[in-house]
Amino acid sequence: MNDESQKEKLRQHFARRVTTQARVVLDTWQKINEKPETSAAFRNDFAGSVDKLVRYAQRFEMDKYTTAGQQLLALIAEWQADSPLHTELHHRFAAAIDQLSQSTLRRTDNASDDSPHIYRRTPVYIALASDEMASRLIRQLEFFGFRAAAFSEPQALIDACALHKPETILMDVNFSNRPNAGITTVEHLQERHDTPIPIIFMSHDDGSIETRLRASRCGGEEFFYPAVDPGQLIEKIETYTHGNTVEPYRVLVLDDSRAQAKFMETVLKKAGMTAHIITDPMQIINALEEFSPEIIILDMYMPGCTGMEIARVIRQQDRFHSVPIIYLSAEEDVSKQLHAMSLGGDDFLTKPIDPKHLVATIHNRGRRARSLLALMIRDSLTGLYNHTHTLDLLDQEIVRARQKQQPLSFAMIDIDYFKRVNDNYGHPIGDRILRSLSIFLKQRLRKTDHVGRYGGEEFVIILPDTRETDARNVLNEIRERFAELQQRAGDQEFRVTFSCGIAGWHDESAQQLRERADRALYDAKARGRNCVVLATG
Ligand code: GH3
Ligand code: MG
């Protein structure tokens, strides 16, 4: 081994020590965070672990960790020994902890041998009248992998939004304990932003039409009255935070005029879409296969064939039966346009094309097509992939794993004693738990993992490029965290656990892989539930 590579090895060795220590800090924080009222007991442990982190990080010159650790030390100095952490300091800690966990995530991203990591999103701001409720919500949200921050004064919230625009704000109509101050604050706030921030309003005592109207006019997307249930709230927040991760639409354009095709390409790319251009109608079959468009734009008149004829051919393939087709032509005659639409088209745009009109049409068609597709492949209760689609995905991932010579893991999850949950608290609460587990899984797995609802209270996860031992570690972590969640039914609280079986793919058929995971799940149940078991052989 030469000098350089030896040095690099040493560096990596020490780097791992620092990241391991950072995880110890994060774990200790977790204990404090879960139960602030008993946090005094953990103060010294926490201080000790942060101190060690700073010393390691300084020694090995890992600046991000040093800075994050020093920030924490400064806050610990403000935290009186033997007393619980108060709310304001708790928030400041949460921000510093967040920085630290970001650093550990970044390391994980680079390291090739690390297991999947948690995704953090842009923040959710909480502006309520009650501080106590705000910190309870933040803890819940953190469990689901959201970053949340609470505010108690309008100006602080407005400043924070200017600095870092949140994905959504949960706003009490009586924010900061003044009647309607929440609405007034939002009205001010929205004036400063080009695109409005989606707001979730809540009110304990005012559900009148006047208040609801005002809230809705300033960007209120939801209005919770009289009470807000944390479970429902998290579902709503999940919908607004999803909006930002919309994949660009894949648009196929067939136009024999190269200039026109280029023009369309520029407009579409500018609007953030992925465009694929062909000028020869005979290329259409190839393009469909390779590009797999979500929307197709066809010129009406081309040498050799018409757009309508091409549309007919496209529609003859099952896979493209519902892909929207938009015609382009100079045709002003409405009856001819109608005729074209009856032959499998969905819309008509006349040349010269107005870019704004083009983009709006594609957005409308694309959104509808996606939501129809979602109905076909997703389970309506949880929004996860349904049974059939999950099986399709598993087949695809096995092909890919074989081609790329990569590992692949398959996990099956089944909620423990779920029948009792339904019996004790009712079916709607059971449904809520299914949704909560599905959000929990989606938040904590990588984007490339597929989560499906296999049946009733059974879920499956496909983890591409993941060894079974890594998959086990990830799911075990998720299992522990999920079991800690307080579930609620009215004023009763209870916990729910799940069992999980995992099989790594060993060059076998999808069915064999599923059977092995299923047997491992059965073993997990037999071993007393609330555990993760790896399949054998
Ligand atoms: P085990 O730990 O052995 O898995 O026990 P269990 O009670 O979870 O298993 P069992 O298979 O006996 O019961 C599953 C229950 O899940 C029965 C069914 O009523 C419930 N269930 C299935 N689908 C849904 C659903 O969509 N919503 C609700 N609320 N309950 C469901
Ligand atoms: Mg069960």
Side-chain angles (χ1 to χ4, degrees), residues 381 414-422 426-432 434 453 455-457 499 525 529:
L381 179 72
D414 185 287
I415 301 183
D416 298 326
Y417 304 117
F418 194 55
K419 199 170 163 323
R420 270 193 227 160
V421 173
N422 278 327
H427 217 263
I429 297 291
D431 284 357
R432 158 124 323 135
L434 294 175
R453 183 172 178 215
E457 21 90 74
S499 304
K525 292 277 182 189
R529 298 174 170 79

PDB file of all heavy atoms in Angstrom, residues 381 414-422 426-432 434 453 455-457 499 525 529, ligand 1:
ATOM      1  N   LEU A 381     -56.653   4.118  -0.230  1.00  0.00           N
ATOM      2  CA  LEU A 381     -56.592   4.486   1.192  1.00  0.00           C
ATOM      3  C   LEU A 381     -55.246   5.121   1.557  1.00  0.00           C
ATOM      4  O   LEU A 381     -55.182   6.121   2.252  1.00  0.00           O
ATOM      5  CB  LEU A 381     -56.825   3.255   2.074  1.00  0.00           C
ATOM      6  CG  LEU A 381     -56.762   3.519   3.579  1.00  0.00           C
ATOM      7  CD1 LEU A 381     -57.979   4.297   4.042  1.00  0.00           C
ATOM      8  CD2 LEU A 381     -56.629   2.234   4.373  1.00  0.00           C
ATOM      9  N   ASP A 414     -46.143  -6.625   8.261  1.00  0.00           N
ATOM     10  CA  ASP A 414     -47.527  -6.866   8.665  1.00  0.00           C
ATOM     11  C   ASP A 414     -47.731  -6.302  10.066  1.00  0.00           C
ATOM     12  O   ASP A 414     -46.940  -6.558  10.971  1.00  0.00           O
ATOM     13  CB  ASP A 414     -47.814  -8.377   8.650  1.00  0.00           C
ATOM     14  CG  ASP A 414     -49.267  -8.689   8.942  1.00  0.00           C
ATOM     15  OD1 ASP A 414     -49.690  -8.557  10.118  1.00  0.00           O
ATOM     16  OD2 ASP A 414     -49.995  -9.063   8.000  1.00  0.00           O
ATOM     17  N   ILE A 415     -48.787  -5.503  10.218  1.00  0.00           N
ATOM     18  CA  ILE A 415     -49.043  -4.882  11.526  1.00  0.00           C
ATOM     19  C   ILE A 415     -49.448  -5.968  12.538  1.00  0.00           C
ATOM     20  O   ILE A 415     -50.182  -6.894  12.192  1.00  0.00           O
ATOM     21  CB  ILE A 415     -50.143  -3.815  11.400  1.00  0.00           C
ATOM     22  CG1 ILE A 415     -49.690  -2.758  10.390  1.00  0.00           C
ATOM     23  CG2 ILE A 415     -50.443  -3.180  12.754  1.00  0.00           C
ATOM     24  CD1 ILE A 415     -50.636  -1.603  10.222  1.00  0.00           C
ATOM     25  N   ASP A 416     -48.939  -5.820  13.758  1.00  0.00           N
ATOM     26  CA  ASP A 416     -49.227  -6.810  14.791  1.00  0.00           C
ATOM     27  C   ASP A 416     -50.594  -6.557  15.430  1.00  0.00           C
ATOM     28  O   ASP A 416     -50.925  -5.407  15.734  1.00  0.00           O
ATOM     29  CB  ASP A 416     -48.154  -6.754  15.885  1.00  0.00           C
ATOM     30  CG  ASP A 416     -46.782  -7.080  15.327  1.00  0.00           C
ATOM     31  OD1 ASP A 416     -46.704  -7.918  14.394  1.00  0.00           O
ATOM     32  OD2 ASP A 416     -45.790  -6.494  15.813  1.00  0.00           O
ATOM     33  N   TYR A 417     -51.312  -7.622  15.643  1.00  0.00           N
ATOM     34  CA  TYR A 417     -52.615  -7.571  16.330  1.00  0.00           C
ATOM     35  C   TYR A 417     -53.487  -6.427  15.820  1.00  0.00           C
ATOM     36  O   TYR A 417     -54.075  -5.688  16.600  1.00  0.00           O
ATOM     37  CB  TYR A 417     -52.415  -7.415  17.845  1.00  0.00           C
ATOM     38  CG  TYR A 417     -51.542  -8.494  18.435  1.00  0.00           C
ATOM     39  CD1 TYR A 417     -50.317  -8.191  19.025  1.00  0.00           C
ATOM     40  CD2 TYR A 417     -51.944  -9.831  18.385  1.00  0.00           C
ATOM     41  CE1 TYR A 417     -49.513  -9.188  19.555  1.00  0.00           C
ATOM     42  CE2 TYR A 417     -51.135 -10.835  18.916  1.00  0.00           C
ATOM     43  CZ  TYR A 417     -49.930 -10.501  19.493  1.00  0.00           C
ATOM     44  OH  TYR A 417     -49.136 -11.480  20.010  1.00  0.00           O
ATOM     45  N   PHE A 418     -53.543  -6.291  14.523  1.00  0.00           N
ATOM     46  CA  PHE A 418     -54.284  -5.165  13.967  1.00  0.00           C
ATOM     47  C   PHE A 418     -55.794  -5.334  14.179  1.00  0.00           C
ATOM     48  O   PHE A 418     -56.530  -4.361  14.303  1.00  0.00           O
ATOM     49  CB  PHE A 418     -53.970  -5.028  12.483  1.00  0.00           C
ATOM     50  CG  PHE A 418     -54.421  -3.721  11.906  1.00  0.00           C
ATOM     51  CD1 PHE A 418     -54.008  -2.528  12.460  1.00  0.00           C
ATOM     52  CD2 PHE A 418     -55.268  -3.682  10.808  1.00  0.00           C
ATOM     53  CE1 PHE A 418     -54.430  -1.320  11.942  1.00  0.00           C
ATOM     54  CE2 PHE A 418     -55.689  -2.480  10.287  1.00  0.00           C
ATOM     55  CZ  PHE A 418     -55.273  -1.301  10.853  1.00  0.00           C
ATOM     56  N   LYS A 419     -56.201  -6.583  14.215  1.00  0.00           N
ATOM     57  CA  LYS A 419     -57.623  -6.847  14.411  1.00  0.00           C
ATOM     58  C   LYS A 419     -58.083  -6.222  15.735  1.00  0.00           C
ATOM     59  O   LYS A 419     -59.157  -5.626  15.807  1.00  0.00           O
ATOM     60  CB  LYS A 419     -57.849  -8.351  14.420  1.00  0.00           C
ATOM     61  CG  LYS A 419     -59.263  -8.738  14.156  1.00  0.00           C
ATOM     62  CD  LYS A 419     -59.380 -10.221  13.930  1.00  0.00           C
ATOM     63  CE  LYS A 419     -60.803 -10.706  14.068  1.00  0.00           C
ATOM     64  NZ  LYS A 419     -61.576 -10.048  15.104  1.00  0.00           N
ATOM     65  N   ARG A 420     -57.227  -6.331  16.736  1.00  0.00           N
ATOM     66  CA  ARG A 420     -57.557  -5.741  18.045  1.00  0.00           C
ATOM     67  C   ARG A 420     -57.711  -4.229  17.960  1.00  0.00           C
ATOM     68  O   ARG A 420     -58.558  -3.659  18.628  1.00  0.00           O
ATOM     69  CB  ARG A 420     -56.435  -6.027  19.033  1.00  0.00           C
ATOM     70  CG  ARG A 420     -56.635  -7.308  19.785  1.00  0.00           C
ATOM     71  CD  ARG A 420     -55.637  -7.314  20.939  1.00  0.00           C
ATOM     72  NE  ARG A 420     -54.970  -8.598  20.984  1.00  0.00           N
ATOM     73  CZ  ARG A 420     -53.804  -8.796  21.595  1.00  0.00           C
ATOM     74  NH1 ARG A 420     -53.156  -7.791  22.156  1.00  0.00           N
ATOM     75  NH2 ARG A 420     -53.277  -9.988  21.618  1.00  0.00           N
ATOM     76  N   VAL A 421     -56.855  -3.596  17.157  1.00  0.00           N
ATOM     77  CA  VAL A 421     -56.954  -2.141  17.011  1.00  0.00           C
ATOM     78  C   VAL A 421     -58.336  -1.790  16.480  1.00  0.00           C
ATOM     79  O   VAL A 421     -59.029  -0.923  17.015  1.00  0.00           O
ATOM     80  CB  VAL A 421     -55.859  -1.601  16.059  1.00  0.00           C
ATOM     81  CG1 VAL A 421     -56.066  -0.120  15.785  1.00  0.00           C
ATOM     82  CG2 VAL A 421     -54.478  -1.851  16.627  1.00  0.00           C
ATOM     83  N   ASN A 422     -58.744  -2.496  15.426  1.00  0.00           N
ATOM     84  CA  ASN A 422     -60.075  -2.250  14.865  1.00  0.00           C
ATOM     85  C   ASN A 422     -61.165  -2.520  15.894  1.00  0.00           C
ATOM     86  O   ASN A 422     -62.117  -1.758  16.031  1.00  0.00           O
ATOM     87  CB  ASN A 422     -60.329  -3.165  13.669  1.00  0.00           C
ATOM     88  CG  ASN A 422     -59.703  -2.619  12.402  1.00  0.00           C
ATOM     89  OD1 ASN A 422     -59.633  -1.419  12.220  1.00  0.00           O
ATOM     90  ND2 ASN A 422     -59.234  -3.503  11.541  1.00  0.00           N
ATOM     91  N   GLY A 426     -62.184   1.000  16.602  1.00  0.00           N
ATOM     92  CA  GLY A 426     -63.021   1.229  15.425  1.00  0.00           C
ATOM     93  C   GLY A 426     -62.219   1.238  14.133  1.00  0.00           C
ATOM     94  O   GLY A 426     -61.019   1.520  14.122  1.00  0.00           O
ATOM     95  N   HIS A 427     -62.924   0.912  13.051  1.00  0.00           N
ATOM     96  CA  HIS A 427     -62.306   0.788  11.735  1.00  0.00           C
ATOM     97  C   HIS A 427     -61.653   2.079  11.239  1.00  0.00           C
ATOM     98  O   HIS A 427     -60.549   2.045  10.692  1.00  0.00           O
ATOM     99  CB  HIS A 427     -63.379   0.299  10.761  1.00  0.00           C
ATOM    100  CG  HIS A 427     -62.854  -0.644   9.742  1.00  0.00           C
ATOM    101  ND1 HIS A 427     -62.487  -0.219   8.484  1.00  0.00           N
ATOM    102  CD2 HIS A 427     -62.614  -1.967   9.788  1.00  0.00           C
ATOM    103  CE1 HIS A 427     -62.060  -1.257   7.810  1.00  0.00           C
ATOM    104  NE2 HIS A 427     -62.123  -2.337   8.567  1.00  0.00           N
ATOM    105  N   PRO A 428     -62.320   3.253  11.420  1.00  0.00           N
ATOM    106  CA  PRO A 428     -61.676   4.493  10.930  1.00  0.00           C
ATOM    107  C   PRO A 428     -60.313   4.741  11.580  1.00  0.00           C
ATOM    108  O   PRO A 428     -59.391   5.228  10.919  1.00  0.00           O
ATOM    109  CB  PRO A 428     -62.668   5.589  11.333  1.00  0.00           C
ATOM    110  CG  PRO A 428     -63.970   4.899  11.451  1.00  0.00           C
ATOM    111  CD  PRO A 428     -63.680   3.509  11.925  1.00  0.00           C
ATOM    112  N   ILE A 429     -60.171   4.398  12.852  1.00  0.00           N
ATOM    113  CA  ILE A 429     -58.863   4.579  13.494  1.00  0.00           C
ATOM    114  C   ILE A 429     -57.866   3.597  12.888  1.00  0.00           C
ATOM    115  O   ILE A 429     -56.704   3.929  12.629  1.00  0.00           O
ATOM    116  CB  ILE A 429     -58.976   4.366  15.021  1.00  0.00           C
ATOM    117  CG1 ILE A 429     -59.904   5.403  15.634  1.00  0.00           C
ATOM    118  CG2 ILE A 429     -57.594   4.413  15.683  1.00  0.00           C
ATOM    119  CD1 ILE A 429     -59.387   6.825  15.643  1.00  0.00           C
ATOM    120  N   GLY A 430     -58.341   2.378  12.607  1.00  0.00           N
ATOM    121  CA  GLY A 430     -57.479   1.402  11.929  1.00  0.00           C
ATOM    122  C   GLY A 430     -56.989   1.959  10.602  1.00  0.00           C
ATOM    123  O   GLY A 430     -55.798   1.896  10.279  1.00  0.00           O
ATOM    124  N   ASP A 431     -57.911   2.559   9.849  1.00  0.00           N
ATOM    125  CA  ASP A 431     -57.530   3.144   8.551  1.00  0.00           C
ATOM    126  C   ASP A 431     -56.480   4.233   8.730  1.00  0.00           C
ATOM    127  O   ASP A 431     -55.531   4.340   7.956  1.00  0.00           O
ATOM    128  CB  ASP A 431     -58.751   3.774   7.864  1.00  0.00           C
ATOM    129  CG  ASP A 431     -59.656   2.722   7.267  1.00  0.00           C
ATOM    130  OD1 ASP A 431     -59.303   1.519   7.347  1.00  0.00           O
ATOM    131  OD2 ASP A 431     -60.715   3.091   6.736  1.00  0.00           O
ATOM    132  N   ARG A 432     -56.679   5.040   9.769  1.00  0.00           N
ATOM    133  CA  ARG A 432     -55.730   6.129  10.005  1.00  0.00           C
ATOM    134  C   ARG A 432     -54.330   5.573  10.278  1.00  0.00           C
ATOM    135  O   ARG A 432     -53.331   6.123   9.835  1.00  0.00           O
ATOM    136  CB  ARG A 432     -56.244   6.965  11.179  1.00  0.00           C
ATOM    137  CG  ARG A 432     -55.193   7.764  11.865  1.00  0.00           C
ATOM    138  CD  ARG A 432     -55.477   9.243  11.932  1.00  0.00           C
ATOM    139  NE  ARG A 432     -56.116   9.779  10.765  1.00  0.00           N
ATOM    140  CZ  ARG A 432     -57.137  10.608  10.797  1.00  0.00           C
ATOM    141  NH1 ARG A 432     -57.628  10.972  11.942  1.00  0.00           N
ATOM    142  NH2 ARG A 432     -57.644  11.080   9.693  1.00  0.00           N
ATOM    143  N   LEU A 434     -53.119   2.767   9.152  1.00  0.00           N
ATOM    144  CA  LEU A 434     -52.552   2.286   7.885  1.00  0.00           C
ATOM    145  C   LEU A 434     -51.949   3.458   7.115  1.00  0.00           C
ATOM    146  O   LEU A 434     -50.871   3.366   6.539  1.00  0.00           O
ATOM    147  CB  LEU A 434     -53.633   1.614   7.028  1.00  0.00           C
ATOM    148  CG  LEU A 434     -54.207   0.315   7.598  1.00  0.00           C
ATOM    149  CD1 LEU A 434     -55.348  -0.193   6.733  1.00  0.00           C
ATOM    150  CD2 LEU A 434     -53.121  -0.746   7.704  1.00  0.00           C
ATOM    151  N   ARG A 453     -48.866  -1.323  -0.955  1.00  0.00           N
ATOM    152  CA  ARG A 453     -49.777  -1.966  -0.004  1.00  0.00           C
ATOM    153  C   ARG A 453     -50.208  -3.266  -0.662  1.00  0.00           C
ATOM    154  O   ARG A 453     -50.826  -3.274  -1.719  1.00  0.00           O
ATOM    155  CB  ARG A 453     -50.975  -1.064   0.259  1.00  0.00           C
ATOM    156  CG  ARG A 453     -51.907  -1.664   1.294  1.00  0.00           C
ATOM    157  CD  ARG A 453     -52.973  -0.679   1.690  1.00  0.00           C
ATOM    158  NE  ARG A 453     -53.899  -1.250   2.642  1.00  0.00           N
ATOM    159  CZ  ARG A 453     -55.189  -0.956   2.671  1.00  0.00           C
ATOM    160  NH1 ARG A 453     -55.691  -0.094   1.814  1.00  0.00           N
ATOM    161  NH2 ARG A 453     -55.968  -1.512   3.576  1.00  0.00           N
ATOM    162  N   GLY A 455     -51.981  -5.835   0.693  1.00  0.00           N
ATOM    163  CA  GLY A 455     -53.348  -6.247   1.013  1.00  0.00           C
ATOM    164  C   GLY A 455     -53.632  -5.626   2.340  1.00  0.00           C
ATOM    165  O   GLY A 455     -52.761  -4.953   2.869  1.00  0.00           O
ATOM    166  N   GLY A 456     -54.831  -5.829   2.895  1.00  0.00           N
ATOM    167  CA  GLY A 456     -55.252  -5.296   4.203  1.00  0.00           C
ATOM    168  C   GLY A 456     -54.207  -4.510   4.962  1.00  0.00           C
ATOM    169  O   GLY A 456     -53.957  -3.344   4.690  1.00  0.00           O
ATOM    170  N   GLU A 457     -53.549  -5.166   5.919  1.00  0.00           N
ATOM    171  CA  GLU A 457     -52.579  -4.457   6.767  1.00  0.00           C
ATOM    172  C   GLU A 457     -51.174  -4.957   6.482  1.00  0.00           C
ATOM    173  O   GLU A 457     -50.332  -4.999   7.349  1.00  0.00           O
ATOM    174  CB  GLU A 457     -52.929  -4.621   8.250  1.00  0.00           C
ATOM    175  CG  GLU A 457     -53.799  -5.791   8.570  1.00  0.00           C
ATOM    176  CD  GLU A 457     -53.009  -7.056   8.870  1.00  0.00           C
ATOM    177  OE1 GLU A 457     -52.410  -7.161   9.937  1.00  0.00           O
ATOM    178  OE2 GLU A 457     -53.014  -7.942   7.990  1.00  0.00           O
ATOM    179  N   SER A 499     -44.371  -6.450  12.317  1.00  0.00           N
ATOM    180  CA  SER A 499     -43.335  -7.464  12.131  1.00  0.00           C
ATOM    181  C   SER A 499     -42.902  -7.399  10.679  1.00  0.00           C
ATOM    182  O   SER A 499     -43.672  -6.976   9.814  1.00  0.00           O
ATOM    183  CB  SER A 499     -43.891  -8.845  12.429  1.00  0.00           C
ATOM    184  OG  SER A 499     -44.435  -8.865  13.719  1.00  0.00           O
ATOM    185  N   LYS A 525     -43.402 -13.282  13.231  1.00  0.00           N
ATOM    186  CA  LYS A 525     -44.631 -13.364  14.038  1.00  0.00           C
ATOM    187  C   LYS A 525     -44.455 -14.437  15.103  1.00  0.00           C
ATOM    188  O   LYS A 525     -44.810 -14.250  16.265  1.00  0.00           O
ATOM    189  CB  LYS A 525     -45.829 -13.715  13.154  1.00  0.00           C
ATOM    190  CG  LYS A 525     -46.225 -12.622  12.184  1.00  0.00           C
ATOM    191  CD  LYS A 525     -47.102 -11.583  12.841  1.00  0.00           C
ATOM    192  CE  LYS A 525     -47.525 -10.520  11.847  1.00  0.00           C
ATOM    193  NZ  LYS A 525     -48.186  -9.388  12.458  1.00  0.00           N
ATOM    194  N   ARG A 529     -43.456 -11.288  17.431  1.00  0.00           N
ATOM    195  CA  ARG A 529     -43.830 -10.038  16.754  1.00  0.00           C
ATOM    196  C   ARG A 529     -42.909  -8.865  17.105  1.00  0.00           C
ATOM    197  O   ARG A 529     -41.968  -9.044  17.861  1.00  0.00           O
ATOM    198  CB  ARG A 529     -45.290  -9.673  17.059  1.00  0.00           C
ATOM    199  CG  ARG A 529     -46.255 -10.745  16.534  1.00  0.00           C
ATOM    200  CD  ARG A 529     -47.685 -10.479  16.954  1.00  0.00           C
ATOM    201  NE  ARG A 529     -48.622 -11.356  16.264  1.00  0.00           N
ATOM    202  CZ  ARG A 529     -48.842 -12.627  16.603  1.00  0.00           C
ATOM    203  NH1 ARG A 529     -48.165 -13.168  17.599  1.00  0.00           N
ATOM    204  NH2 ARG A 529     -49.707 -13.352  15.939  1.00  0.00           N
TER     205      ARG A 529
HETATM  206  P1  GH3 B   1     -51.050 -10.652  13.587  1.00  0.00           P
HETATM  207  O1  GH3 B   1     -50.198  -9.999  14.598  1.00  0.00           O
HETATM  208  O2  GH3 B   1     -50.953 -12.131  13.638  1.00  0.00           O
HETATM  209  O3  GH3 B   1     -50.789 -10.130  12.220  1.00  0.00           O
HETATM  210  O4  GH3 B   1     -52.554 -10.311  13.999  1.00  0.00           O
HETATM  211  P2  GH3 B   1     -53.585  -9.385  13.210  1.00  0.00           P
HETATM  212  O5  GH3 B   1     -54.743  -9.123  14.106  1.00  0.00           O
HETATM  213  O6  GH3 B   1     -52.888  -8.188  12.678  1.00  0.00           O
HETATM  214  O7  GH3 B   1     -53.948 -10.292  11.967  1.00  0.00           O
HETATM  215  P3  GH3 B   1     -55.285 -10.776  11.326  1.00  0.00           P
HETATM  216  O8  GH3 B   1     -54.888 -11.275   9.978  1.00  0.00           O
HETATM  217  O9  GH3 B   1     -56.022 -11.723  12.227  1.00  0.00           O
HETATM  218  O10 GH3 B   1     -56.203  -9.489  11.174  1.00  0.00           O
HETATM  219  C1  GH3 B   1     -55.949  -8.508  10.245  1.00  0.00           C
HETATM  220  C2  GH3 B   1     -56.982  -7.445  10.411  1.00  0.00           C
HETATM  221  O11 GH3 B   1     -56.738  -6.321   9.570  1.00  0.00           O
HETATM  222  C3  GH3 B   1     -58.355  -7.928  10.053  1.00  0.00           C
HETATM  223  C4  GH3 B   1     -58.960  -6.830   9.221  1.00  0.00           C
HETATM  224  O12 GH3 B   1     -60.179  -6.428   9.761  1.00  0.00           O
HETATM  225  C5  GH3 B   1     -57.965  -5.696   9.314  1.00  0.00           C
HETATM  226  N1  GH3 B   1     -57.906  -4.932   8.078  1.00  0.00           N
HETATM  227  C6  GH3 B   1     -57.582  -5.349   6.849  1.00  0.00           C
HETATM  228  N2  GH3 B   1     -57.676  -4.333   5.947  1.00  0.00           N
HETATM  229  C7  GH3 B   1     -58.080  -3.228   6.627  1.00  0.00           C
HETATM  230  C8  GH3 B   1     -58.367  -1.879   6.264  1.00  0.00           C
HETATM  231  O13 GH3 B   1     -58.270  -1.467   5.116  1.00  0.00           O
HETATM  232  N3  GH3 B   1     -58.736  -1.018   7.243  1.00  0.00           N
HETATM  233  C9  GH3 B   1     -58.846  -1.458   8.539  1.00  0.00           C
HETATM  234  N4  GH3 B   1     -59.211  -0.569   9.461  1.00  0.00           N
HETATM  235  N5  GH3 B   1     -58.599  -2.721   8.912  1.00  0.00           N
HETATM  236  C10 GH3 B   1     -58.228  -3.609   7.982  1.00  0.00           C
END
